[in-house]
Amino acid sequence: PAQHRISSVPSRQSGRWHTARNASTERARRLSSHSRMHSSGASAPAGHGTFWGSSTTSDAGARVGPMMERKGASSSVIVPDPKSLARKRAALVGGGAEQLQVIADFDRTITRASVNGARGASCHGVMESLECLSAEYREEAKLLFDKYYPLEICEHMTTAQKLPLMMEWYEQGHDLLLREGVAKHHIQAAVAQANLALREGVCPIIHTLQAAQVPLLIFSAGIANVIDEVMRQKFGELTESTHIISNWMQYNSEDVCVGFSTPLIHMFNKNESQTTGSAFAATVAQRGNVLLMGDGLGDVTMADGIPHNTVLKVGFLNEKVDELLPKYCEIYDVIITHDGDMEYVVDLIQEVCGTRNQQTHASSNIAVSGSKSNVVGRTE
């Protein structure tokens, strides 16, 4: 679909988006403050995809190229179909916090794709950086990667054909890891050193959701213990309304990994049917509206498997923007490009939960009205 683009507006110029940004200065300051508090991190190896489940792909399995330079570049919020988005947004706002659930991918959705000028670490990248891993482990893990990664991205195989092969990859990868004596303190140290940061806006989003008792599902084909530790170090303790469904390492009494949770979550079975019987499923049984956030083409299926009234999908197109934008416009309601922040999502959630002030409300009306401005560029 065609989009009408508005170029980014420097602060010295006037313009509708600039006016809206001025009208919500307090919200922007709050968002930036949260980011500065929670998004620090020293440089460490991000991994090269030798762990099971490629760290060079999104959890959806979409292959990505080298990180795009963002020096002076600005992200854009792109709305392919303003009328459809307006209907979905109205449905979410009308249902309020009581009808809302939020489902979000982790790697390069909740986290930044680029940190300190380099590619941000993924869950598997953090695992690869563990100092306790032996040379034998790394060699065998690379053999698995060389065998299964080409199958993961093979364009001539169906998802049904790939499913058992991805299960093999994860199971064999887990078996390798169990030999290494990975302990909880290894995970804590690796996260502390990882080149990893939460996307700007994540912290105020979680605070708003937790205050309103809106269930948030962090859904990932990565390692749940890494996600949990990242959130603890970068955000703080999560309340019971926030759930992580991923692959949990199971510790013994000495906090050493001795097993993994079932079922295995991988890039081709990550949908809401995997939540059956979980605490999250019980909390969302009567919540028909979904806000979904992902960075890969396959992330749009995360809400599949359970019927919903409305699913509003926000996609983070971090790189290869020109190549992938047409595909993202076909499946996402809102696309945020070039590793942009979550200001649009902050605004939406605050409106749904009834916590926005009048000035912020005016900003939202400009951004999503669908009149002359259905693509909004913003200066970073």
Side-chain angles (χ1 to χ4, degrees):
Q3 300 92 33
H4 303 286
R5 185 176 298 275
I6 295 179
S7 60
S8 299
V9 182
S11 58
R12 65 180 180 273
Q13 295 179 353
S14 61
R16 298 179 66 192
W17 178 238
H18 179 57
T19 301
R21 296 271 289 181
N22 284 341
S24 57
T25 300
E26 181 60 34
R27 175 165 55 91
R29 273 203 302 265
R30 185 170 62 253
L31 187 151
S32 297
S33 174
H34 279 288
S35 176
R36 287 193 298 271
M37 290 169 58
H38 299 285
S39 299
S40 61
S43 178
H48 300 285
T50 57
F51 204 71
W52 74 95
S54 167
S55 66
T56 59
T57 67
S58 73
D59 284 340
R63 190 174 184 179
V64 296
M67 178 57 56
M68 297 180 65
E69 287 293 330
R70 299 182 66 250
K71 296 177 181 178
S74 62
S75 62
S76 296
V77 176
I78 298 175
V79 178
D81 188 340
K83 292 182 179 179
S84 175
L85 175 62
R87 287 193 298 269
K88 291 185 177 184
R89 182 161 179 145
L92 264 61
V93 173
E98 296 76 13
Q99 287 295 311
L100 181 66
Q101 58 173 292
V102 179
I103 303 174
D105 174 49
F106 184 74
D107 287 331
R108 302 181 181 98
T109 298
I110 286 179
T111 61
R112 295 292 302 263
S114 177
V115 183
N116 298 322
R119 188 173 185 80
S122 66
C123 286
H124 289 147
V126 171
M127 293 299 296
E128 288 174 5
S129 72
L130 294 177
E131 295 181 357
C132 64
L133 299 181
S134 65
E136 291 78 12
Y137 167 84
R138 296 183 187 281
E139 181 179 350
E140 292 186 56
K142 185 178 186 306
L143 290 175
L144 289 179
F145 176 81
D146 291 342
K147 175 181 178 180
Y148 287 103
Y149 178 63
L151 302 176
E152 176 194 331
I153 64 172
C154 179
E155 297 180 357
H156 305 294
M157 295 178 63
T158 66
T159 298
Q161 291 172 320
K162 293 179 180 182
L163 280 172
L165 298 172
M166 295 303 103
M167 292 294 289
E168 287 179 14
W169 188 3
Y170 273 58
E171 288 171 351
Q172 292 178 46
H174 288 175
D175 289 342
L176 285 180
L177 196 66
L178 293 176
R179 305 178 196 168
E180 300 298 301
V182 176
K184 186 175 182 180
H185 68 86
H186 293 138
I187 302 295
Q188 293 171 335
V191 168
Q193 297 177 44
N195 187 46
L196 188 152
L198 300 182
R199 191 178 295 273
E200 187 179 12
V202 164
C203 293
I205 285 172
I206 297 177
H207 282 307
T208 300
L209 295 176
Q210 291 185 161
Q213 294 293 302
V214 173
L216 165 63
L217 171 60
I218 301 175
F219 207 173
S220 173
I223 304 297
N225 310 71
V226 173
I227 297 171
D228 188 54
E229 186 62 26
V230 169
M231 298 309 297
R232 188 187 69 81
Q233 292 189 23
K234 304 293 185 180
F235 172 79
E237 296 298 326
L238 299 171
T239 68
E240 292 183 355
S241 63
T242 301
H243 307 257
I244 300 172
I245 293 187
S246 184
N247 298 298
W248 283 96
M249 301 169 64
Q250 298 171 333
Y251 298 126
N252 62 14
S253 60
E254 298 178 346
D255 282 339
V256 175
C257 178
V258 294
F260 282 86
S261 61
T262 57
L264 287 173
I265 307 297
H266 55 75
M267 63 286 295
F268 295 120
N269 72 350
K270 196 174 71 170
N271 59 68
E272 206 168 5
S273 66
Q274 300 291 341
T275 69
T276 301
S278 68
F280 174 77
T283 63
V284 300
Q286 303 301 318
R287 293 174 179 266
N289 294 335
V290 180
L291 172 60
L292 180 150
M293 295 181 284
D295 74 298
L297 294 170
D299 285 333
V300 293
T301 65
M302 290 190 295
D304 290 1
I306 297 177
H308 303 292
N309 297 329
T310 304
V311 181
L312 195 159
K313 301 173 183 178
V314 178
F316 291 87
L317 180 49
N318 297 311
E319 47 205 355
K320 299 176 70 173
V321 175
D322 291 340
E323 176 182 340
L324 294 174
L325 182 58
K327 294 181 180 179
Y328 276 64
C329 285
E330 291 177 0
I331 59 176
Y332 282 107
D333 300 298
V334 178
I335 302 103
I336 298 172
T337 70
H338 298 95
D339 204 18
D341 63 37
M342 283 198 175
E343 185 174 351
Y344 175 87
V345 182
V346 172
D347 182 81
L348 171 59
I349 288 176
Q350 288 180 345
E351 182 178 15
V352 173
C353 295
T355 59
R356 290 196 320 173
N357 59 31
Q358 192 64 37
Q359 289 182 329
T360 305
H361 181 71
S363 169
S364 173
N365 287 342
I366 293 175
V368 301
S369 64
S371 55
K372 295 182 180 179
S373 308
N374 59 50
V375 180
V376 179
R378 61 172 219 65
T379 302
E380 295 212 287

